[in-house]
């Protein structure tokens, strides 16, 4: 069709063009703002999630690791030896038990024991060696070489080589004496050394090593002392030697079952001649 240029309303046409241009530019602008807003929301919501995950990872990394423990018990009539993860050496006397971690991972090297043990501790000043004992009525610690500190609540005692500490749980008393260490550590070499010891003490030692029970039929028997060194002798041989030099007689009365394992325990009565 033919257009008459004189009839065109140029002002109206310009206004329509501007209106279309403005309308066209508004659509992507709104979309852009919406997308940007969503991205900001996603960042705000995601950030706590990331922090939580990192916190869980950090918590997992800082949790105390599960530590495996080993427990060793020396059979009656025998001495057991072992080496700890830090290269310290331990000898366990008959019937004694030691519990220790498969690896020392903390600032201290801590073990638990009941009975009697001899320790050759690997020197490490940065990681003190700590031994805790089962709750016995009496605890005895003998130092051959090195340094030992014994603590009971706020009471701390320091031992020197050749000294022994005796702790009585009932009175919470700790007494230190100078002793001959040989008779207290000779058992680790399979030796029973008695040095003018009272019979009560000797019978206690024989009960521990051979898992027997002595019953004294006369309390005056406790006044006798005995001096001897045994290595490799059986219990009957030891009792025969004791009967030759002390006016006492031994009589086995019965064998009983004792403990959860139903172990036979020989009962020996001791009479004064």
């Amino acid at each position: 069709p033919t257009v008459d240029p004189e009839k065109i309303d140029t002002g109206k046409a310009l206004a329509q063009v501007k209106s279309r241009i403005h309308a066209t530019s508004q659509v992507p602008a709104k979309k852009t703002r919406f997308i940007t807003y969503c991205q900001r929301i996603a960042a705000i919501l995601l950030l706590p999630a990331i922090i939580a995950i990192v916190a869980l990872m950090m918590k997992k990394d800082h949790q105390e690791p599960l530590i495996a423990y080993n427990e060793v018990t020396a059979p009656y009539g025998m001495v057991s030896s072992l080496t700890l993860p830090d290269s310290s050496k331990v000898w366990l006397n008959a019937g004694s038990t030691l519990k220790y971690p498969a690896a020392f991972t903390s600032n201290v090297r801590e073990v638990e024991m009941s009975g009697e043990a001899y320790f050759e501790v690997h020197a490490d000043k940065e990681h003190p060696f700590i031994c805790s004992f089962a709750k016995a009525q009496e605890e005895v610690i003998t130092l051959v070489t090195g340094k030992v500190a014994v603590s009971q609540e706020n009471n701390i005692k320091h031992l020197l080589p050749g000294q022994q500490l005796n702790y009585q749980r009932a009175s919470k008393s700790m007494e230190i004496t100078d002793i001959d260490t040989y008779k207290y550590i000779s058992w680790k070499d399979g030796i029973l050394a008695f040095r003018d010891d009272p019979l009560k003490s000797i019978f206690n030692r024989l009960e521990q090593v051979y898992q027997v029970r002595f019953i004294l039929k006369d309390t005056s028997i406790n006044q006798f002392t005995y001096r001897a060194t045994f290595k490799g002798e059986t219990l009957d041989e030891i009792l025969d030697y004791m009967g030759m030099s002390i006016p006492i007689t031994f009589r086995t009365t019965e064998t009983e079952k004792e403990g959860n394992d139903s172990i036979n325990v020989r009962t020996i009565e001791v009479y004064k001649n």
Side-chain angles (χ1 to χ4, degrees), residues 119-249:
F119 292 86
E120 285 184 356
V121 178
H122 177 72
D124 185 351
K125 293 182 180 180
E126 300 299 323
H127 301 85
F129 191 92
I130 299 176
C131 181
S132 57
F133 300 87
K135 293 184 178 181
Q137 293 302 314
E138 179 183 34
E139 296 173 5
V140 179
I141 300 171
T142 303
L143 180 62
V144 181
T145 60
K147 298 179 181 179
V148 167
V150 182
S151 63
Q152 197 284 319
E153 295 180 352
N154 295 325
N155 190 6
I156 300 177
K157 298 286 187 180
H158 295 273
L159 287 177
L160 298 175
Q163 290 186 332
Q164 184 180 82
L165 181 142
N166 185 289
Y167 169 66
Q168 298 294 329
R169 186 171 298 278
S171 61
K172 296 184 178 180
S173 63
M174 294 194 293
E175 182 181 356
I176 295 178
T177 56
D178 296 322
I179 48 88
D180 174 14
T181 61
Y182 175 75
K183 76 172 186 177
Y184 293 99
I185 66 171
S186 59
W187 57 263
K188 76 181 183 67
D189 298 316
I191 298 173
L192 288 174
F194 303 124
R195 297 293 180 264
D196 298 321
D197 297 329
L199 289 191
K200 182 179 180 180
S201 174
I202 293 174
F203 291 146
N204 287 340
R205 171 66 74 180
L206 295 177
E207 285 181 344
Q208 176 190 5
V209 173
Y210 295 101
Q211 196 176 20
V212 294
R213 182 185 296 109
F214 287 93
I215 299 177
L216 275 61
K217 290 299 186 176
D218 190 327
T219 56
S220 63
I221 293 176
N222 289 323
Q223 68 182 349
F224 297 119
T225 60
Y226 188 64
R227 183 182 184 89
T229 300
F230 299 104
K231 184 177 183 179
E233 284 84 358
T234 66
L235 175 60
D236 288 329
E237 289 173 335
I238 292 175
L239 298 183
D240 287 341
Y241 286 125
M242 292 181 66
M244 293 177 185
S245 56
I246 305 174
I248 55 176
T249 301

Side-chain angles (χ1 to χ4, degrees), residues 72-75 78-82 90-94 96 187-188:
V72 179
T73 299
M78 296 180 62
V79 173
S80 298
S81 61
L82 63 146
V90 185
W91 285 260
L92 288 177
N93 206 352
S96 302
W187 57 263
K188 76 181 183 67

Side-chain angles (χ1 to χ4, degrees), residues 1-20:
T2 303
V3 178
D4 187 355
E6 294 181 356
K7 295 181 178 181
I8 296 175
D9 187 347
T10 57
K12 183 178 179 180
L14 179 61
Q16 289 176 348
V17 171
K18 289 182 178 180
S19 177
R20 289 178 180 178

Side-chain angles (χ1 to χ4, degrees), residues 49-97:
I50 293 174
I51 293 175
I53 293 172
V54 172
L56 287 173
M57 292 176 66
M58 292 177 65
K59 182 178 180 181
K60 182 178 180 181
D61 290 340
H62 287 81
Q63 281 179 344
E64 291 294 329
L66 295 176
I67 301 176
Y69 282 83
N70 298 320
E71 188 169 288
V72 179
T73 299
Y76 284 96
M78 296 180 62
V79 173
S80 298
S81 61
L82 63 146
T83 301
L84 299 180
D86 65 339
S87 298
S88 295
K89 295 182 179 180
V90 185
W91 285 260
L92 288 177
N93 206 352
S96 302
T97 298

